Amino acid sequence: MALLKYEEIAESLRVRMASGEFPPGETLPSGRDLAEQWQVSRATVVKAMDVLRNDGVVEARQGTGFVVAETAIGRPAGNRRAGSARVAGGMPFTRVGNPERTTPPAHIATALNLPAGAHALRRARLMQLLDGTPHSYVEAWFPLEVVAQAPRLEQHAPIAEGTTRYVSRQTRRSPAEGVDVTTVQLATAEQAHHLRLDIPAAVAVVLHTAYDQDGRPLVCEEGVTAGSLWEQTDTYPM
């Protein structure tokens, strides 16, 4: 399906940010300049900027315009229903270690439909509260067939446009179904270390798997949150 013009503008700016043309802290072209460049109304440019701002990619600064966000914004694993903005439930995060190809735990391999002993790419991040304290520790696992088409997943640097959009653009495969499984467990030593917990400690674990239109897994994320911080609210018609 073809992109609407404001979506096309937003996507073009994402690519330019991801390529380093507009690094964090850089001011984006003015609304007037973008409107002239794309031959569209200022209202269309405003809609494009609203998309980027809702995704946590840019920030509005009075007297300056829109600048590329300094801090990467993301979400804990799960709760990725269609229509929810990336910034919904979003929070700053830092990368933990470097992406690595390794054998995933058995339950991750099962979710990704990998044979025993097969490797996947692991990316880890630590979601943080506004005061910098840990909220969730998240490990994302990508099948190597996805990594082959989206090589920037192996880089430590954050992907400005977001991994979902980047993977979709590179592979032509978009998430069509998400499966979230939530359990309560005792934290492992590694999880407790990242979340600054004293063992034993109860944690909520969300295993999120995204599947494409053909039912093939694109990514499996495991998010671990301290029991004292875990909260889920659902609103639904009755």
Side-chain angles (χ1 to χ4, degrees), residues 14 24 31 38 48 60 64 129 192 205 212:
R14 288 179 194 277
W38 286 87
T64 301
L129 299 174
V205 180
D212 67 12

Side-chain angles (χ1 to χ4, degrees), residues 165-229:
R165 284 182 178 270
Y166 171 64
V167 168
S168 296
R169 177 165 59 84
Q170 292 293 113
T171 65
R172 305 297 182 184
R173 295 166 55 188
S174 299
E177 181 182 54
V179 176
D180 295 349
V181 178
T182 303
T183 56
V184 176
Q185 304 173 15
L186 290 177
T188 65
E190 181 182 10
Q191 294 164 354
H193 168 73
H194 290 301
L195 297 175
R196 302 180 193 170
L197 300 175
D198 293 326
I199 293 177
V203 291
V205 180
V206 178
L207 188 67
H208 164 77
T209 309
Y211 299 90
D212 67 12
Q213 306 92 320
D214 298 321
R216 296 176 296 168
L218 286 166
V219 63
C220 183
E221 289 187 349
E222 186 170 59
V224 182
T225 306
S228 60
L229 296 175

Side-chain angles (χ1 to χ4, degrees), residues 10-229:
E11 187 66 18
S12 173
L13 289 171
R14 288 179 194 277
V15 172
R16 296 170 72 181
M17 285 185 279
S19 70
E21 181 179 349
F22 298 125
E26 183 79 10
T27 302
L28 293 178
S30 68
R32 176 181 297 178
D33 289 344
L34 288 171
E36 291 179 356
Q37 176 185 342
W38 286 87
Q39 294 296 295
V40 296
S41 68
R42 291 286 296 276
T44 299
V45 173
V46 169
K47 289 182 69 175
M49 290 302 183
D50 283 343
V51 169
L52 296 175
R53 182 166 53 180
N54 287 338
D55 280 358
V57 178
V58 302
E59 300 171 348
R61 292 187 184 172
Q62 188 173 6
T64 301
F66 287 95
V67 300
V68 181
E70 294 278 2
T71 305
I73 299 294
R75 293 183 300 193
N79 192 26
R80 305 198 175 211
R81 294 171 179 82
S84 64
R86 183 174 178 234
V87 76
M91 58 184 66
F93 69 86
T94 57
R95 288 287 168 203
V96 177
N98 291 309
E100 63 173 340
R101 298 187 181 208
T102 187
T103 304
H107 65 290
I108 300 292
T110 298
L112 293 177
N113 293 332
L114 298 178
H119 280 190
L121 181 72
R122 172 184 172 273
R123 289 168 59 93
R125 64 184 184 271
L126 186 66
M127 316 299 297
Q128 298 170 313
L129 299 174
L130 293 180
D131 63 1
T133 58
H135 178 275
S136 301
Y137 174 66
V138 183
E139 291 187 347
W141 296 85
F142 294 87
L144 295 187
E145 64 183 46
V146 171
V147 178
Q149 295 179 282
R152 284 175 51 217
L153 290 173
E154 295 197 83
Q155 299 177 4
H156 178 80
I159 298 174
E161 62 197 283
T163 55
T164 299
R165 284 182 178 270
Y166 171 64
V167 168
S168 296
R169 177 165 59 84
Q170 292 293 113
T171 65
R172 305 297 182 184
R173 295 166 55 188
S174 299
E177 181 182 54
V179 176
D180 295 349
V181 178
T182 303
T183 56
V184 176
Q185 304 173 15
L186 290 177
T188 65
E190 181 182 10
Q191 294 164 354
H193 168 73
H194 290 301
L195 297 175
R196 302 180 193 170
L197 300 175
D198 293 326
I199 293 177
V203 291
V205 180
V206 178
L207 188 67
H208 164 77
T209 309
Y211 299 90
D212 67 12
Q213 306 92 320
D214 298 321
R216 296 176 296 168
L218 286 166
V219 63
C220 183
E221 289 187 349
E222 186 170 59
V224 182
T225 306
S228 60
L229 296 175

